[in-house]
Amino acid sequence: MKPYTFDQIPKLIGKLFDKMERIELLLKTLSPESKQQEELLNITEAAKLLNLSVPTVYSKVSRNEIPVCKKGKRLYFYKSELLFWIKSGKVKTIEEIHSDVEKRLNNR
């Protein structure tokens, strides 16, 4: 890395700022989570995504088992929250459990 003079610093900071803006813009446009995160589903679409019947989704909502947003009489679901809810119920395999135990024992 070559040394810079005091007079070059403002120009370098400007270049860094421009590059950071371009990187942020690229990350926002390329991120699949940003598209999913904003996607709202109605009860029928949520049931289809979860592969459940609409009455089953209603019963899960009434028992507070599923993430939901309610506005008036309407129910809305964020696709990303439903996918996270599904993933949170994942059962670990024996290998994953052994791996977790080994990591914890090694950290002690």
Side-chain angles (χ1 to χ4, degrees):
M1 185 171 168
K2 69 176 189 172
Y4 295 102
T5 64
F6 184 78
D7 295 332
Q8 293 173 323
I9 291 176
K11 187 176 181 180
L12 291 171
I13 291 175
K15 285 183 180 180
L16 283 173
F17 184 77
D18 290 340
K19 287 182 179 183
M20 288 296 294
E21 282 185 333
R22 281 185 269 155
I23 290 170
E24 286 176 350
L25 182 63
L26 276 172
L27 288 174
K28 286 179 183 176
T29 58
L30 295 177
S31 173
E33 290 182 7
S34 64
K35 293 176 185 173
Q36 282 183 350
Q37 194 174 31
E38 296 300 319
E39 190 173 351
L40 275 177
L41 306 175
N42 61 29
I43 189 85
T44 309
E45 294 166 335
K48 186 176 179 181
L49 175 70
L50 299 172
N51 199 21
L52 299 171
S53 67
V54 172
T56 302
V57 175
Y58 275 120
S59 67
K60 288 189 177 295
V61 166
S62 68
R63 292 190 307 255
N64 293 323
E65 293 179 2
I66 191 169
V68 65
C69 299
K70 187 174 181 184
K71 191 71 173 173
K73 293 182 179 182
R74 304 246 181 200
L75 298 177
Y76 299 99
F77 303 86
Y78 283 105
K79 185 175 181 179
S80 61
E81 288 180 354
L82 291 177
L83 294 174
F84 180 77
W85 176 73
I86 293 169
K87 290 176 187 175
S88 68
K90 181 182 180 287
V91 177
K92 291 185 177 184
T93 64
I94 301 270
E95 291 176 9
E96 290 173 328
I97 293 170
H98 285 298
S99 169
D100 289 346
V101 169
E102 285 180 25
K103 286 178 187 175
R104 289 182 184 171
L105 290 175
N106 289 336
N107 287 339
R108 290 183 178 184

